[in-house]
Amino acid sequence: MRFLLLPFTPRYILLTIVLALTAALSTLLWQRLDLAVYLALPLALTGALSLLGLRDLLQSRHAVLRNYPIAAHLRFLLENIRPEMRQYFFEADKDGTPFPRDKRAIVYQRAKRELDKRPFGTQYDVYENRYEWLHHSLCPRPPAAEPFRVKIGGPHCTQPYRASVYNISAMSYGSLSANAIRALNKGARMGGFAHDTGEGGISRYHKEHGGDLIWEIGSGYFGCRTDDGRFSPERFEAAAADPQVKMIEIKLSQGAKPGHGGVLPAAKVTSEIARIRGVRKGQDCVSPAFHSAFATPVELIAFIAELRRLSAGKPVGFKLCVGHPWELMAIVKAMLATDTTPDFIVVDGKEGGTGAAPLEFMDHIGAPLRDGLTFVHSALVGAGLRERIRIGASGKITSAFDMARAMALGADWCNAARGFMFAVGCIQAQQCHTGHCPTGVATQDVTRQRAVVVSAKSERVASFHRQTVKALAELVAAAGLDHPSQLRPHHFMHRAAPDRVVTFAELYRFLEPGELLAGTDAPHFRDAWALAQADSFLPAAPPTRLPAALVAE
């Protein structure tokens, strides 16, 4: 009896209804052919739904469809539009992720040169834990009239570069569309700031408008590789001679997926991408998780020196997301051992973005920007090398306050990727990995990327940069300073509890010049320094952990 009633239970009633309607309409049509013109459309609809319901009932892939034929498709529909519903109807100005609405809005407004002011007061709970602010001065300075710049180039660099304090972070052609790359580079040229190519190589779209380039070289050595995927000095030298290339950046890791390589599937390796990257069309394009040009800290420093020589003295540095602390210390020891330093280090935070990454890597691998930045800054200070090396910072930096905070913690300049993507038109649809970007920014579909009008979007890129750096000048002046390089940890406050606030100088441990060499009492730095060795990225085993016989020897 229960089985006979099953078609009339809530689970199956919709399928039962459409089957009954289909049968009734078919019978009526059989009897009254003169009504065919009226019955055709309803019959086609109920028939299609009947077939769909029977398919749902018999398929084996989705359990919910077997139990709720037809009706369960509503679940998949709602699931598909859930991000849009949340963003447009339920998300507050401060709680959206990865970027809240107010952060996106300030980029859009500054890019479009619209009013970027807010009424009525802050929406933050200023007594909530982790709220932060910058101390102002009772004697503010006039804001700087000229955009801030920083000279990048150490003692071995013969072609130093005067960079803006705010530049476009690494995003490859292939991840972004051709028109997005064009708009970014043209905006960089108009605004006088730099555009990082990403590890995908220098495309003709990067060169079309002549904006300054930072050439990023990853483990795939795209644009400077041999046929078997190793580094080619000859191809690098030829490409680095381009006057548009201002700096060379070796990518050791990135914040969103440190320690993880990548594969561009063969189907996506077009003739153009194959030519740009120096790979074969129709074959998987692999970026290994590690470099083949070096295997030890000393070899990394030698590779940096070689790239600087081959590029005729242009600034050469590396980008990393901090992982094992002794590995960074090992690189510092290699600098001391060889008396050779990179011209810059870019610290990429765990909160940085990517087109696609495994969830575990995106959420739980790598140090966040502030922790990595303060560690790198203090390591260089403690080793007496900070004056020779500039530090860049990247990871969710879209406002002047974000920049000021990073510079107080040790950065000389900041990079942004998603901030400039918003300026080009990104709406945080988070479809970058599908090729279906609704605004044409992160796709290779030519019918979609036509939405990015280069002439208009480049103006927005330049405007966003200009207005953000102007806001930074106003913040710096309000603090009674003339340049963001004067910002220090004690200028910023952090609420650690409702009744307790601390400065960044109290929140983070900063080393004094030469403290590592003299012997520091800070355990995190002391232990990492003890484990580091210039000729290996592996940690040196502490003597207490060695076998007794080995210690006796």
Side-chain angles (χ1 to χ4, degrees), residues 318-333:
F318 60 85
K319 178 179 84 173
L320 86 165
C321 176
V322 174
H324 293 309
W326 63 79
E327 294 179 344
L328 188 279
M329 292 299 196
I331 297 173
V332 173
K333 283 190 174 182

Side-chain angles (χ1 to χ4, degrees), residues 7 9-20 49 68-72:
T9 60
R11 284 191 293 158
Y12 298 107
I13 189 62
L14 187 57
L15 175 59
T16 302
I17 290 171
V18 296
L19 287 172
L49 288 174
Y68 297 86
I70 305 176

Side-chain angles (χ1 to χ4, degrees), residues 132-326:
E132 294 173 343
W133 67 94
L134 168 66
H135 277 315
H136 69 283
S137 171
L138 294 180
C139 301
R141 303 283 295 166
E146 295 296 321
F148 300 122
R149 305 198 79 82
V150 56
K151 181 182 176 182
I152 304 173
H156 302 290
C157 175
T158 58
Q159 295 190 57
Y161 177 57
R162 288 185 58 79
S164 169
V165 294
Y166 198 39
N167 302 288
I168 301 171
S169 197
M171 293 181 284
S172 302
Y173 168 63
S175 293
L176 298 191
S177 68
N179 279 0
I181 294 293
R182 286 185 176 112
L184 289 169
N185 193 257
K186 186 176 180 181
R189 181 182 61 78
M190 294 166 63
F193 53 99
H195 178 193
D196 194 311
T197 65
E199 68 172 310
I202 303 173
S203 71
R204 63 188 176 95
Y205 311 111
H206 287 98
K207 302 175 72 172
E208 196 169 297
H209 295 288
D212 290 352
L213 293 178
I214 300 171
W215 182 14
E216 183 178 85
I217 299 174
S219 56
Y221 307 112
F222 301 129
C224 59
R225 61 188 266 145
T226 61
D227 292 340
D228 62 352
R230 304 186 72 82
F231 175 71
S232 168
E234 297 78 17
R235 292 178 179 175
F236 170 81
E237 185 174 15
D242 189 331
Q244 195 177 341
V245 176
K246 303 300 182 182
M247 302 201 302
I248 291 94
E249 175 183 279
I250 303 166
K251 175 188 170 184
L252 300 184
S253 58
Q254 75 178 90
K257 48 181 177 183
H260 190 276
V263 178
L264 188 66
K268 293 187 177 181
V269 181
T270 63
S271 298
E272 184 175 36
I273 289 178
R275 182 175 64 255
I276 292 166
R277 299 195 177 194
V279 299
R280 294 181 180 177
K281 178 185 176 183
Q283 292 187 5
D284 288 347
C285 180
V286 179
S287 295
F290 53 87
H291 278 263
S292 59
F294 54 87
T296 68
V298 168
E299 289 178 2
L300 167 60
I301 297 302
F303 186 57
I304 289 171
E306 177 67 0
L307 295 190
R308 192 157 46 214
R309 182 189 69 81
L310 292 170
S311 64
K314 292 182 179 181
V316 179
F318 60 85
K319 178 179 84 173
L320 86 165
C321 176
V322 174
H324 293 309
W326 63 79

